[in-house]
Amino acid sequence: MQQILSILQQQWQLVVILTGVLLILGGIFGWKWLWDPTGNRPFGLHAFAYRHFGEKGARVFLCLNGAILILCGIVLWVLA
């Protein structure tokens, strides 16, 4: 466990990139535990997207957020 934590502390950008990948996969496959507006949602803006654009809009919003996270993680990894 210590080895995993030390790797994550040194390369935390990978966590950001993997979170982005998870969000994109959740949007593509419709994993409602990631974006369900009626349950415990970790990201409150998805409820806004769901109300205004429907389920497909919320899934697209989730994919866009994932792509932004991946881009930020790559930029931070290159700059570090």
Side-chain angles (χ1 to χ4, degrees):
M1 188 68 177
Q2 268 319 75
Q3 289 178 328
I4 294 172
L5 288 176
S6 67
I7 291 171
L8 290 178
Q9 287 176 347
Q10 293 170 359
Q11 308 232 342
W12 56 270
Q13 299 91 342
L14 289 176
V15 175
V16 175
I17 293 170
L18 291 176
T19 302
V21 169
L22 178 72
L23 291 178
I24 288 176
L25 290 175
I28 291 171
F29 295 117
W31 294 339
K32 293 192 180 208
W33 57 272
L34 277 175
W35 60 272
D36 187 13
T38 60
N40 295 328
R41 55 190 177 278
F43 307 102
L45 287 176
H46 293 115
F48 173 80
Y50 186 85
R51 277 194 308 270
H52 293 287
F53 305 112
E55 180 179 333
K56 286 186 181 183
R59 290 172 67 180
V60 168
F61 186 72
L62 192 65
C63 288
L64 288 174
N65 283 339
I68 290 169
L69 274 177
I70 290 171
L71 181 65
C72 289
I74 290 171
V75 168
L76 291 170
W77 196 359
V78 169
L79 292 177

